[in-house]
Amino acid sequence: MAKTFIVTDSAEELTRLSAAELAQKIHSREVSSREVTEAHLKRIKDVDGELHAFLHVGEEAALAAADTVDKSLDAGEQPASALAGVPLALKDVFTTTDAPTTCGSKMLEGYMSPYDATVTRRIREAGIPILGKTNLDEFAMGSSTENSAYGPTHNPYDPERTAGGSGGGSSAALASGEAPLAIGTDTGGSIRQPAALTNTVGVKPTYGTVSRYGLVACASSLDQGGPCARTVLDTALLHEVIAGHDKFDATSVDRPVAPVVEAAREGAKGDLSGMTIGVVKQFNREGYQAGVLERFAAAVDQLKSQGAKIVEVDCPHFDDALAAYYLILPCEVSSNLARFDGMRYGLRAGDDGTHSAEEVMAISRAEGFGPEVKRRIILGTYALSVGYYDAYYLQAQRVRTLIAQDFKAAYEQCDVLISPTTPSTAFKLGEKSEDPLEMYNFDLCTLPLNLAGLCGMSVPAGFASDTQLPVGLQIMAPAFQDDRLYRVGAAFEAGLN
Ligand code: GLN
């Protein structure tokens, strides 16, 4: 067996505890936030050379934030939040004024933002020290972090394998004990899929409930930031910190945040009587890895034994979700990434006095973007062009509506839907990089709910008997019912042995 970097194997105690446990110790002054933060910084030093979860580690800034928390608690003040003092890893697609924001792209190498994203600001205001910025596929496009311009992240369970993508840096940081909390973004699965591959928890909140201000856009109608951790309760506590209305985001909804922490605590009692859970027929069939289907069947049995009523639900248009997603997303990408022109942000290449402004733009884009980003920009530009718009973009939008209708019909029969998070366990780095379609296929189960703007969670469901690697259970809920994810997720977590 290859050397692993799993938190339970080798990490020291402070990096093995949950965020809730750490918060309790910090707030009772049993340990300081500085000690906790230092322990994680040391863990990063010890293992990140092999894992490459971080693109930037902000040691000084993290310790300064920890000291501020310690000082205020020593003075007898109330903690700024339930997680005050507990450090976090931030996906490098949220802007920060004190660290570069690269989005995993050469285009933004060394780019310093003049402002903090709203998510960043909320984290700081909650007294959560930011350890650093985590690796991702370039501009969050990919399923393995292999599209990062700075090299891939390795899975702590098997460093030859992917930790998922696009948020593989955040998931690897959690699984290895480099961080007890992390932030991801989910456009088609980039929070849930990495969580499934690393035995961690990740939630894609309902569209519009977490501000996108300062989140560098991939596909604006699909992108959503969300919380990641090793336990359902920790994820809920972080969800509460980052969610809420923001006047700087035009798509932000002005309504109270779902009671996610309360739901996680209630769920932890393990009783699901009164709940009806729908198994999505389209995501439970041949073609998936046997070990994944085995764990999924065991999960269904477990939920049943915890009192839930299980029904099978038919969502016929989910089979078209992949095709619709890979049209809508590139269309939005081609528009969003037009701003990276070598003039306003980051890289400028070919500006040697011999080239026109147009040529400098072309050279900068040719040098700054990697192959997958270019592929999507070209695809999207094509699909939006005159004569093709109706056949591609408009058609995909129609499919999007049908998928939303499938969800609506499904939730008339049940409270939440479930499926495996991914069709197989973590694949080897390099295994799918030559074949974009195979890579896209890995997001089969996660992307329908992004198209419908709903919410979902991946929660650990044990290990596949054929690969000995982690499997994730995906739970999906209607818009603004994010608390249901936590209720079911926490119950499932409590009942898993
Ligand atoms: N893997 C999907 C893609 O490549 C999803 C990415 C994401 O959620 N950011 O688009």
Side-chain angles (χ1 to χ4, degrees):
M1 179 91 185
K3 187 177 178 206
T4 71
F5 296 89
I6 315 164
V7 58
T8 44
D9 280 3
S10 50
E12 73 121 313
E13 191 184 354
L14 283 181
T15 61
R16 271 189 272 135
L17 297 176
S18 72
E21 287 164 337
L22 288 170
Q24 190 271 326
K25 282 186 190 294
I26 294 169
H27 300 172
S28 67
R29 307 315 286 138
E30 194 183 316
V31 291
S32 64
S33 171
R34 174 175 265 268
E35 285 169 295
V36 172
T37 305
E38 274 174 344
H40 287 93
L41 289 167
K42 173 159 187 308
R43 180 74 180 160
I44 294 171
K45 277 209 179 85
D46 289 347
V47 300
D48 211 56
E50 307 195 55
L51 295 179
H52 193 41
F54 283 86
L55 292 176
H56 172 88
V57 179
E59 188 166 337
E60 244 173 68
L63 290 174
D67 288 343
T68 306
V69 172
D70 285 332
K71 220 157 108 196
S72 114
L73 291 174
D74 284 340
E77 288 166 25
Q78 282 303 308
S81 76
L83 291 172
V86 183
L88 168 147
L90 184 63
K91 190 177 182 182
D92 196 17
V93 69
F94 287 95
T95 57
T96 42
T97 50
D98 56 355
T101 302
T102 71
C103 302
S105 181
K106 285 275 174 241
M107 189 56 104
L108 288 178
E109 189 161 8
Y111 171 71
M112 292 298 290
S113 166
Y115 69 101
D116 274 340
T118 296
V119 165
T120 309
R121 178 177 57 77
R122 281 177 170 268
I123 288 165
R124 294 198 207 277
E125 285 170 5
I128 297 174
I130 297 172
L131 294 163
K133 309 285 290 281
T134 53
N135 199 10
L136 69 157
D137 288 293
E138 186 173 8
F139 289 104
M141 295 179 216
S143 310
S144 66
T145 71
E146 289 166 291
N147 297 335
S148 166
Y150 304 101
T153 297
H154 300 259
N155 192 319
Y157 282 87
D158 177 353
E160 284 181 13
R161 292 176 188 271
T162 178
S166 65
S170 289
S171 68
L174 291 171
S176 65
E178 291 175 314
L181 298 168
I183 296 284
T185 61
D186 194 311
T187 303
S190 285
I191 287 176
R192 288 161 288 154
Q193 184 258 46
L197 305 193
T198 56
N199 206 34
T200 58
V201 183
V203 167
K204 184 265 177 213
T206 300
Y207 186 78
T209 58
V210 174
S211 171
R212 290 186 298 108
Y213 181 70
L215 161 61
V216 181
C218 174
S220 312
S221 77
L222 301 161
D223 298 340
Q224 193 69 177
C228 312
R230 288 191 297 268
T231 72
V232 173
L233 177 62
D234 288 357
T235 313
L237 290 166
L238 186 55
H239 192 133
E240 220 158 62
V241 169
I242 60 170
H245 180 243
D246 180 17
K247 65 173 194 262
F248 293 121
D249 173 359
T251 58
S252 169
V253 284
D254 192 1
R255 54 184 288 161
V257 178
V260 292
V261 173
E262 210 183 299
R265 292 196 198 280
E266 182 59 31
K269 295 176 189 159
D271 181 13
L272 287 173
S273 18
M275 275 265 173
T276 305
I277 297 180
V279 173
V280 181
K281 193 168 126 194
Q282 278 69 15
F283 295 153
N284 185 32
R285 63 185 176 197
E286 263 176 51
Y288 288 29
Q289 185 185 319
V292 168
L293 290 179
E294 217 174 271
R295 287 314 311 166
F296 182 67
V300 171
D301 285 346
Q302 185 197 312
L303 292 165
K304 213 186 286 177
S305 77
Q306 292 181 292
K309 181 176 164 212
I310 308 286
V311 294
E312 193 185 56
V313 175
D314 193 14
C315 299
H317 298 99
F318 283 18
D319 284 333
D320 300 320
L322 195 81
Y325 173 90
Y326 277 102
L327 274 169
I328 293 168
L329 177 135
C331 289
E332 295 190 21
V333 160
S334 73
S335 157
N336 274 331
L337 271 66
R339 75 188 57 151
F340 301 108
D341 54 8
M343 298 292 146
R344 287 170 291 178
Y345 311 96
L347 182 81
R348 178 179 301 175
D351 188 10
D352 55 8
T354 69
H355 295 104
S356 67
E358 285 76 13
E359 284 166 345
V360 170
M361 286 185 198
I363 297 167
S364 301
R365 291 167 69 80
E367 280 187 22
F369 289 138
E372 181 61 25
V373 170
K374 283 181 185 155
R375 180 180 295 125
R376 296 195 192 193
I377 291 174
I378 292 168
L379 210 83
T381 308
Y382 177 80
L384 286 176
S385 54
V386 181
Y388 296 105
Y389 180 91
D390 287 6
Y392 294 119
Y393 184 70
L394 214 60
Q395 191 69 0
Q397 290 290 14
R398 290 199 185 103
V399 172
R400 190 173 190 174
T401 303
L402 293 173
I403 288 164
Q405 284 168 359
D406 275 3
F407 271 114
K408 195 157 175 278
Y411 291 128
E412 273 159 23
Q413 303 164 59
C414 59
D415 301 300
V416 297
L417 291 168
I418 56 167
S419 76
T421 309
T422 56
S424 73
T425 51
F427 52 89
K428 285 226 163 95
L429 291 167
E431 194 180 313
K432 295 188 198 287
S433 27
E434 295 307 312
D435 186 349
L437 288 183
E438 219 189 292
M439 191 72 96
Y440 297 170
N441 249 319
F442 206 70
D443 306 320
L444 204 65
C445 311
T446 47
L447 48 83
L449 72 81
N450 297 77
L451 288 168
L454 314 181
C455 57
M457 166 189 281
S458 182
V459 62
F463 292 78
S465 65
D466 46 7
T467 55
Q468 316 302 325
L469 290 165
V471 173
L473 172 71
Q474 177 175 228
I475 307 167
M476 299 169 262
F480 308 114
Q481 313 293 323
D482 305 52
D483 49 311
R484 287 190 202 170
L485 305 172
Y486 289 94
R487 167 91 202 280
V488 178
F492 182 72
E493 178 186 59
L496 189 70
N497 44 43

